[in-house]
């Protein structure tokens, strides 16, 4: 896959009360699991992990993986700030990637196959954005083809990819991913995740 991957892991997990990045699932932290998924799907293309509230604490989870980690100093401003921090590093690693795939670390059921399906759908449809569809919405993981990456760069710091999916709905294809509805923001969701093990 010639698309770069941005894995966002900058939040403070305030609703969960502990770092969601370090929540364990099937013997791995959510961050390690997501990073391995990203690396496998990227197949040699750059993978950038954007941290924020935690950085040094998360680095051990990334040991041995062919990726770059960067801390967003303004992570509290929102997802847009993290995205732009990641894109800035990507510009140095690969000035003109085919596209950028954005994923989060708290969707434990994301697979490399899903990420590759997003890419295949973009190639088949020619649409510049391909989102995951779940729970009557579209969201991450989401692929922005090269022509759509400038939209990410123009996001306000407090903005996220979701608002772009709504604003440019006619340019968005989707891939069904019902399991995307499972994320880990609250203690109840963390407990539900443990029940799947």
């Amino acid at each position: 896959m010639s698309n770069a991957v941005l894995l966002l892991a900058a939040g403070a997990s305030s609703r969960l009360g502990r770092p969601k990045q370090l929540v364990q699932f099937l013997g791995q932290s959510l961050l390690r699991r997501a990073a391995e998924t990203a690396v496998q799907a990227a197949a040699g293309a750059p993978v950038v992990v954007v941290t924020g509230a935690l950085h040094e604490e998360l680095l051990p989870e990334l040991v041995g993986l062919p990726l770059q980690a960067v801390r967003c100093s303004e992570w509290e401003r929102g997802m847009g700030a993290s995205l732009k921090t990641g894109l800035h590093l990507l510009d140095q690693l690969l000035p003109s990637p085919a596209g950028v795939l954005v994923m989060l670390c708290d969707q434990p059921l994301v697979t490399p196959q899903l990420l590759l399906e997003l890419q295949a759908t973009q190639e088949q449809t020619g649409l510049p954005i391909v989102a995951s569809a779940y729970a009557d919405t579209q969201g991450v993981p989401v692929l922005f083809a090269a022509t759509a990456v400038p939209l990410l760069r123009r996001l306000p710091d407090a903005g996220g990819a979701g608002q772009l999916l709504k604003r440019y709905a006619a340019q968005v294809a989707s891939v069904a991913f019902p399991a995307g509805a499972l994320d880990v923001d609250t203690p109840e969701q963390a407990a539900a995740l443990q029940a799947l093990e």
Side-chain angles (χ1 to χ4, degrees):
M1 183 165 83
S2 51
N3 297 297
V5 181
L6 279 184
L7 173 56
L8 305 184
S13 312
S14 54
R15 283 192 288 166
L16 183 61
R18 58 189 170 114
K20 70 170 69 175
Q21 301 94 328
L22 300 178
V23 168
Q24 295 289 307
F25 180 58
L26 298 177
Q28 289 182 305
S29 69
L30 294 186
L31 178 58
R32 180 73 185 197
R33 186 178 177 86
E36 288 185 0
T37 297
V39 166
Q40 188 175 337
V47 174
V48 170
V49 177
V50 183
T51 68
L54 306 172
H55 181 71
E56 297 300 329
E57 298 94 327
L58 299 184
L59 291 180
E61 299 301 314
L62 304 173
V63 168
L65 294 176
L67 52 73
Q68 302 284 327
V70 60
R71 183 177 186 272
C72 175
S73 59
E74 298 184 318
W75 64 271
E76 290 177 284
R77 296 174 66 90
M79 187 180 289
S82 290
L83 283 165
K84 286 180 280 190
T85 295
L87 288 170
H88 181 70
L89 178 55
L90 269 183
D91 287 341
Q92 301 169 46
L93 299 174
L94 189 68
S96 54
V100 173
L101 205 155
V102 178
M103 58 184 293
L104 306 179
C105 72
D106 70 345
Q107 290 178 302
L109 302 183
V110 169
T111 63
Q113 291 73 27
L114 171 69
L115 303 184
L116 294 172
E117 190 175 351
L118 293 172
Q119 175 181 280
T121 300
Q122 196 282 315
E123 293 168 351
Q124 290 160 9
T125 64
L127 290 172
I129 305 172
V130 185
S132 302
Y134 46 86
D136 298 319
T137 190
Q138 292 178 320
V140 289
V142 57
L143 173 63
F144 288 83
T147 55
V149 170
L151 299 177
L152 290 172
R153 298 183 191 280
R154 293 198 293 268
L155 272 175
D157 285 352
Q163 70 185 58
L164 296 177
L165 300 181
K166 293 183 177 72
R167 187 181 309 160
Y168 299 98
Q171 300 178 53
V172 179
S174 64
V175 170
F177 178 47
L182 177 67
D183 60 14
V184 184
D185 287 320
T186 66
E188 292 78 15
Q189 290 169 326
L193 179 64
Q194 306 305 321
L196 291 177
E197 291 193 291

